[in-house]
Amino acid sequence: AQSVSQHNHHVILSEAASLELGCNYSYGGTVNLFWYVQYPGQHLQLLLKYFSGDPLVKGIKGFEAEFIKSKFSFNLRKPSVQWSDTAEYFCAVNTGTYKYIFGTGTRLKVLA
Amino acid sequence: KAGVTQTPRYLIKTRGQQVTLSCSPISGHRSVSWYQQTPGQGLQFLFEYFSETQRNKGNFPGRFSGRQFSNSRSEMNVSTLELGDSALYLCASSLGDGNTEAFFGQGTRLTVV
């Protein structure tokens, strides 16, 4: 069955630290990949997406992610986090079956 | 452009009751998906509708059902509520072609007591 794994469930960083959140998926075919963010009390928002082309994609708020097909990974990165990045981050995959498969999420807390 | 609207925002029901949740997608979006979000489980896919037809269904019992109307608005129904149904239910809309992102509503927080 298709699945998405997010290895870090809770991450605590100080402001200005670098961030990398892991995401791996299990599916051998073509995928569309997403990272969503959920700020406290708010709805899920799209951070970035990958459909095809350059495997390094840039999103909003300085986030980027790299698709490595051979590793079935789509890790999220940010060089320098801010307190306002405190949120829950979800990796998601769409395999063209009209449903999105989400990871269990990573709660990021940034200390001021 | 208005976003995805879910009503109501909060619901408290007792075991055994049934509940209906509503979702209005972004104008022009014909696909509506429903997800159950619980701590530690992430988002679990319930079902997806496109042009009033269910195209995909997750692994939930038959107590969970849905429908979509001709104006793309969707409703989700849960019958014979159980304590474990307490969760945030999220609706997402998209163009439905499988190649565009989904836009989420703020969800309906259902508490079963």
Side-chain angles (χ1 to χ4, degrees):
Chain A
Q2 300 145 11
S3 64
V4 175
S5 298
Q6 290 183 242
H7 315 298
N8 315 100
H9 298 295
H10 292 89
V11 173
I12 301 175
L13 295 172
S14 299
E15 273 195 316
S18 64
L19 170 73
E20 179 158 4
L21 300 182
C23 172
N24 286 89
Y25 64 93
S26 62
Y27 183 71
T30 303
V31 294
N32 296 328
L33 298 156
F34 308 83
W35 275 97
Y36 282 86
V37 60
Q38 190 172 35
Y39 297 103
Q42 295 188 29
H43 62 280
L44 277 163
Q45 302 170 40
L46 182 70
L47 264 183
L48 46 79
K49 61 189 178 188
Y50 173 81
F51 290 157
S52 63
D54 188 344
L56 183 62
V57 293
K58 295 190 184 300
I60 61 171
K61 305 186 181 186
F63 286 91
E64 65 178 31
E66 184 176 13
F67 171 50
I68 303 180
K69 191 173 180 181
S70 60
K71 294 185 178 180
F72 299 92
S73 70
F74 190 56
N75 292 352
L76 180 71
R77 299 195 292 249
K78 186 170 184 179
S80 175
V81 294
Q82 301 173 318
W83 177 81
S84 58
D85 293 325
T86 294
E88 191 161 16
Y89 293 80
F90 293 91
C91 180
V93 165
N94 182 315
T95 62
T97 57
Y98 311 116
K99 72 176 183 182
Y100 295 79
I101 304 164
F102 283 82
T104 52
T106 297
R107 286 184 185 269
L108 171 66
K109 184 176 176 68
V110 180
L111 304 175
Chain B
K1 169 156 122 167
V4 179
T5 304
Q6 290 188 247
T7 56
R9 290 290 312 280
Y10 302 93
L11 267 177
I12 301 176
K13 291 285 188 179
T14 56
R15 279 181 299 174
Q17 285 188 308
Q18 74 164 19
V19 66
T20 299
L21 313 181
S22 180
C23 172
S24 294
I26 291 171
S27 177
H29 285 187
R30 294 166 65 190
S31 169
V32 173
S33 302
W34 288 89
Y35 295 83
Q36 181 193 68
Q37 185 179 11
T38 53
Q41 295 290 316
L43 280 77
Q44 303 291 313
F45 173 78
L46 281 153
F47 27 66
E48 187 258 359
Y49 288 88
F50 181 86
S51 294
E52 303 178 69
T53 299
Q54 187 182 87
R55 291 196 297 192
N56 214 326
K57 189 177 188 306
N59 296 322
F60 278 81
R63 300 185 296 107
F64 291 81
S65 63
R67 59 178 176 168
Q68 186 180 34
F69 303 96
S70 58
N71 61 358
S72 294
R73 191 177 70 84
S74 177
E75 286 182 348
M76 187 191 108
N77 186 76
V78 188
S79 63
T80 320
L81 283 165
E82 300 176 0
L83 294 178
D85 297 333
S86 295
L88 181 67
Y89 290 88
L90 294 171
C91 166
S93 81
S94 71
L95 292 173
D97 59 3
N99 289 314
T100 54
E101 67 265 32
F103 294 83
F104 285 82
Q106 290 201 280
T108 294
R109 173 75 61 188
L110 172 64
T111 302
V112 182
V113 297

